[in-house]
Amino acid sequence: RNARMHSRKSVENGRNFPVRENDVFVSTYPKSGTTWMQFLSHNVRLVIENEFLDEAKAMNFNEITEKVPWDILAEDCRSIGTIGGAQDLRAGQSKTDPKHGLRLFKSHESVEAIAKRKGNEMMARYVIVCRNPEDVFHSFHQFLPAYCGIDPEEIRAETFCDAIFAGASHSGQYWEWNMDWFQFAEKHPERVLMVCFEDMKEDLAGVIRKVAKLMGEDFIASADLKEMCRRGSFEYMRKHKTKFDDHFVRNKVKKQMGIPDDAPEFSVGKVRETGGKIGDGKKKLPESVQKRLEERWMEVFGRKGFDSYESFRMRINEI
């Protein structure tokens, strides 16, 4: 079912549409904090466009993907025959400056596949979020089966591990995905910001400042920053959970995925009650799965001098 989530036409559209040099892609390996960063980036854009202070107006959207479209799913989510609107990747997103205003996109694409400007033109900007692989895997196991209409309890962690290692994720493998983006960020620090989920948890204000700088805003007023942290908190997003549960996309692609009408109701969401924690993977994954994840880490990251996720996280913060 997951393999049928994106049509070939939509994937090609999302990888090859003409990007602008001030476009910003929020790109992560799945379950690394994508939705959270989408919302934070959207709020930065609202500050830049002087539309942040009115909370009711700022929150006047049905689901965040309507404001920050998913690159390779936008075409599948666009109503047939429509031109313009957020799901038209060639259209503007800014009401005040449609031709030149900031555009935001969600992505899980690899550095090789993601949309870029051609030739010697300036590339877009990319916000990459990395997360501890054990927590990513645990969260992915809780989320993906349910999204596909399958009770997660019916799929053991070991079985899910086999599927991910075999290529069940459209994004490929966690290790290569993050290493490739890291190396790209080292080469292009002015266009790529790589942050860690754990730093978002520990210093949200600091991460917001970094994101704002990449988006062209060097100064965020203290009052705005405080309010952005409040709205970006787990409690606030949990209170508005239906705006962050991916129902917009899922309802559009449910039929092509082959999810039956009588499938279990999708209730996991992106801001689930027990989600967003640090260390759950270590606590809840079977030892056999943890061992496989550790071995794979050493095969890819160990060879680059990173013997642990924490050492990798420290290097990311030095870029």
Side-chain angles (χ1 to χ4, degrees):
R1 291 177 183 174
N2 187 52
R4 298 196 297 269
M5 185 176 182
H6 335 76
S7 71
R8 180 176 299 179
K9 178 182 178 182
S10 193
V11 171
E12 289 299 313
N13 178 65
R15 289 176 173 175
N16 296 293
F17 74 98
V19 301
R20 306 171 183 172
E21 65 178 86
N22 66 334
D23 285 345
V24 178
F25 287 78
V26 173
S27 187
T28 77
Y29 192 80
K31 310 313 298 173
S32 296
T34 324
T35 303
W36 193 7
M37 185 56 79
Q38 278 180 271
F39 186 45
L40 295 177
S41 301
H42 175 59
N43 282 334
V44 170
R45 174 172 59 181
L46 291 177
V47 168
I48 293 173
E49 297 183 347
N50 297 312
E51 295 185 351
F52 180 71
L53 292 181
D54 187 336
E55 183 177 352
K57 184 178 179 181
M59 292 297 293
N60 186 25
F61 58 88
N62 186 41
E63 206 277 330
I64 190 63
T65 314
E66 296 176 349
K67 294 294 185 180
V68 185
W70 188 344
D71 53 4
I72 65 168
L73 269 162
E75 186 68 18
D76 284 337
C77 292
R78 188 155 65 104
S79 299
I80 296 175
T82 60
I83 298 175
Q87 305 307 311
D88 182 351
L89 300 182
R90 289 160 176 76
Q93 295 178 8
S94 171
K95 294 179 181 179
T96 57
D97 189 1
K99 290 187 177 181
H100 307 289
L102 283 168
R103 302 192 304 175
L104 295 172
F105 303 100
K106 165 187 173 176
S107 183
H108 292 310
E109 295 300 281
S110 68
V111 68
E112 293 85 4
I114 202 165
K116 305 180 188 72
R117 298 193 81 174
K118 308 300 182 184
N120 295 321
E121 296 178 306
M122 184 70 77
M123 71 176 74
R125 290 173 284 187
Y126 306 89
V127 180
I128 314 302
V129 186
C130 186
R131 188 182 185 186
N132 183 294
E134 293 168 336
D135 290 339
V136 167
F137 188 89
H138 173 66
S139 182
F140 212 2
H141 179 220
Q142 295 300 305
F143 178 80
L144 186 59
Y147 194 94
C148 294
I150 303 169
D151 187 342
E153 297 299 323
E154 294 182 7
I155 301 179
R156 297 168 60 245
E158 294 87 348
T159 303
F160 188 74
C161 183
D162 290 339
I164 296 300
F165 271 75
S169 171
H170 177 86
S171 303
Q173 300 289 330
Y174 165 97
W175 302 271
E176 288 81 3
W177 194 101
N178 279 288
M179 178 53 72
D180 289 347
W181 269 113
F182 169 72
Q183 293 175 332
F184 192 71
E186 284 192 309
K187 293 179 181 177
H188 305 282
E190 74 287 352
R191 308 302 294 180
V192 184
L193 171 66
M194 197 167 192
V195 301
C196 293
F197 179 89
E198 295 78 12
D199 290 314
M200 294 169 68
K201 296 283 287 186
E202 294 175 9
D203 182 17
L204 185 59
V207 171
I208 290 173
R209 287 193 189 97
K210 290 181 179 180
V211 172
K213 185 175 182 180
L214 183 79
M215 293 175 64
E217 187 66 28
D218 291 327
F219 175 77
I220 298 288
S222 58
D224 285 341
L225 185 60
K226 183 178 180 180
E227 178 62 12
M228 291 170 82
C229 289
R230 184 184 75 86
R231 294 188 203 174
S233 68
F234 181 85
E235 293 75 20
Y236 185 91
M237 293 180 68
R238 178 69 181 167
K239 182 179 179 180
H240 300 85
K241 61 183 180 180
T242 59
K243 295 183 182 294
F244 309 106
D245 65 2
D246 216 28
H247 71 264
F248 172 75
V249 170
R250 190 173 187 268
N251 288 341
K252 293 283 188 178
V253 301
K254 181 179 178 180
K255 184 176 181 180
Q256 72 189 42
M257 289 178 70
I259 298 175
D261 293 334
D262 60 351
E265 182 180 355
F266 178 62
S267 59
V268 176
K270 298 296 186 74
V271 196
R272 67 181 189 275
E273 188 173 354
T274 58
K277 295 181 180 179
I278 297 174
D280 263 6
K282 177 69 74 175
K283 296 175 184 176
K284 298 180 179 180
L285 288 177
E287 288 187 10
S288 61
V289 172
Q290 291 187 44
K291 183 178 180 181
R292 290 185 69 181
L293 298 181
E294 290 168 3
E295 290 173 349
R296 190 71 179 124
W297 176 275
M298 293 308 298
E299 288 175 5
V300 178
F301 285 84
R303 292 177 180 176
K304 300 293 184 179
F306 302 108
D307 60 359
S308 68
Y309 174 75
E310 282 306 313
S311 66
F312 182 57
R313 177 185 171 190
M314 289 177 62
R315 180 66 187 95
I316 286 173
N317 284 316
E318 293 173 357
I319 298 177

